Amino acid sequence: MLILAFETSCDETAAAVTRNGREVLSNRVLSQTDLHEVYGGVVPEIASRRHAEAISRLADLAVSDAGITKKDIDAVAVTCTPGLIGALLVGVSFAKAAAMALGVPLIPVHHICGHVAANYIAYPELEPPFICLAVSGGNTILADVRDYTDMRVIGSTADDAAGECFDKIARVLGLGYPGGGPIDEAAKNGDDKKYRLPRAAVKGRPFDMSFSGLKTAVINLIRETEQKQEALDLPSLCASFCAAVSDSLVPGTVSAAGEFGRDKIAVAGGVAANSRIRRDFETAAERAGLKLYVPPLKLCGDNAAMIGCQGYYEYLAGNVAGLDLNAAAKTGLRPVSGPG
Ligand code: KG4
């Protein structure tokens, strides 16, 4: 089954063609980060306009890259939630028009489920159930992936998303937007024990995370260093910060696998590109005897191949939308109170 998929939930306009949920025939991603960089974050109005300008051309390129014609397409999949509402609406409107023009089914896809599905592309042998940590610029969710279309939230951030925290710290440090990559790079030459930073836990909710205290601690540390006119060891601050984020993500994910009786863990989303977090996951998974799945860097960030992949399983589960499909800025995955 060939699916033409679209992703426009934030600041990447993406179109892809996938086959049977596992094979990527084309994957075009047009990043807008250069447009938003001067503002230090995504400007929703600019994002929507850029999506509207680019999506038609990207769709054509995705089809031609795949070596197919539009007549070969069996279905259209699109991210419909969560994300920036104006940005989502561009993708949803275009996907509806494409599905109607081609006379094929329209498949709505939850963005987080798409990130999880990036792992199916990278690891053809991976099948649910497994625990997945989805960490991106807008979301930080720990999910029990019971089946391809049955994901239950077992933990989430009580405040900022992990990626948001990377972006805000980078902005204060003048490292540009998005901040995760530059912080990761700077951290490579630093001492991760030089700065003592907090690891927040949420009382009574073992799988929840919190990043706002860490963010404030880092910003205060930067300001105090400036006021005292002391030199800031940037690489060590970045290394200490990456270690603190990793400590808030990795142990909880591993213990969730024990609690929910899963022998596999997966990581997804832009923050999964972080080298410290990847390294810590490798060590922790090996120690706990768990099989670890982390997608390659190009599949960690927003892309449409992951949407096409998840779209295939949504289609098999009968999740097909009418032309009245709407976008929603926020839609949670199903919560779960415990194993079973
Ligand atoms: O998944 P994604 O591309 O978009 C969303 O759905 O949000 O994730 C973007 C986020 C940004 O916050 C960015 O700073 C972060 O992923 N990121 C990283 C790294 N590369 C990207 N965070 C930490 N380390 C990285 N190497």
Side-chain angles (χ1 to χ4, degrees):
M1 179 180 197
L2 290 181
I3 294 183
L4 174 63
F6 297 102
E7 156 63 43
T8 63
S9 66
C10 191
D11 59 348
E12 266 92 25
T13 319
V17 175
T18 58
R19 181 186 282 134
N20 296 341
R22 296 276 174 165
E23 196 187 339
V24 180
L25 302 192
S26 64
N27 191 13
R28 284 269 176 173
V29 181
L30 183 69
S31 174
Q32 308 177 354
T33 49
D34 54 333
L35 294 179
H36 301 285
E37 195 178 357
V38 282
Y39 307 103
V42 180
V43 181
E45 172 68 14
I46 294 176
S48 312
R49 283 173 187 267
R50 187 69 184 120
H51 288 314
E53 285 163 9
I55 194 163
S56 173
R57 180 76 189 124
L58 277 176
D60 285 344
L61 288 171
V63 170
S64 62
D65 286 357
I68 61 166
T69 68
K70 288 176 188 157
K71 287 198 191 87
D72 299 320
I73 294 164
D74 298 305
V76 173
V78 64
T79 305
C80 62
T81 192
L84 301 171
I85 189 66
L88 287 165
L89 276 167
V90 175
V92 168
S93 307
F94 192 88
K96 279 190 209 180
M100 191 172 77
L102 298 170
V104 298
L106 175 67
I107 308 167
V109 177
H110 192 289
H111 182 72
I112 300 296
C113 300
H115 271 304
V116 174
N119 282 285
Y120 302 136
I121 300 169
Y123 302 99
E125 75 282 9
L126 176 63
E127 287 177 7
F130 56 89
I131 295 291
C132 186
L133 174 73
V135 258
S136 65
N139 300 279
T140 300
I141 284 172
L142 189 58
D144 183 32
V145 183
R146 298 176 176 205
D147 205 342
Y148 291 101
T149 56
D150 182 7
M151 299 178 204
R152 311 283 177 100
V153 177
I154 57 179
S156 58
T157 177
D159 36 61
D160 295 349
E164 203 179 332
C165 195
F166 271 98
D167 295 339
K168 285 188 180 153
I169 301 294
R171 185 157 65 186
V172 177
L173 289 170
L175 292 178
Y177 171 83
I183 289 182
D184 193 1
E185 200 47 45
K188 284 179 185 155
N189 302 312
D191 169 8
D192 64 359
K193 295 191 180 55
K194 175 150 182 182
Y195 294 102
R196 286 168 62 88
L197 298 173
R199 272 77 169 150
V202 183
K203 216 173 161 196
R205 287 150 59 192
F207 302 123
D208 279 355
M209 301 143 261
S210 163
F211 296 100
S212 74
L214 172 62
K215 181 184 70 186
T216 307
V218 175
I219 293 173
N220 287 346
L221 195 149
I222 297 166
R223 300 283 180 242
E224 274 168 31
T225 314
E226 275 168 7
Q227 278 162 10
K228 290 183 192 159
Q229 297 185 332
E230 289 172 359
L232 184 74
D233 179 350
L234 180 73
S236 296
L237 180 61
C238 291
S240 305
F241 172 66
C242 289
V245 176
S246 182
D247 285 350
S248 301
L249 299 173
V250 178
T253 307
V254 170
S255 63
E259 177 96 1
F260 283 77
R262 307 298 182 216
D263 59 0
K264 295 176 270 191
I265 53 175
V267 192
V271 181
N274 185 267
S275 28
R276 171 66 190 251
I277 296 171
R278 293 170 88 93
R279 224 173 31 244
D280 286 353
F281 261 117
E282 275 163 27
T283 312
E286 198 182 329
R287 206 170 282 154
L290 297 167
K291 186 104 182 65
L292 173 70
Y293 301 86
V294 190
L297 298 189
K298 71 175 190 328
L299 290 173
C300 285
D302 286 351
N303 65 86
M306 66 187 196
I307 302 304
C309 179
Q310 180 62 23
Y312 173 72
Y313 293 103
E314 297 292 346
Y315 180 80
L316 293 185
N319 185 10
V320 173
L323 290 178
D324 58 350
L325 174 68
N326 205 352
K330 274 194 180 161
T331 308
L333 295 169
R334 267 199 280 174
V336 66
S337 51

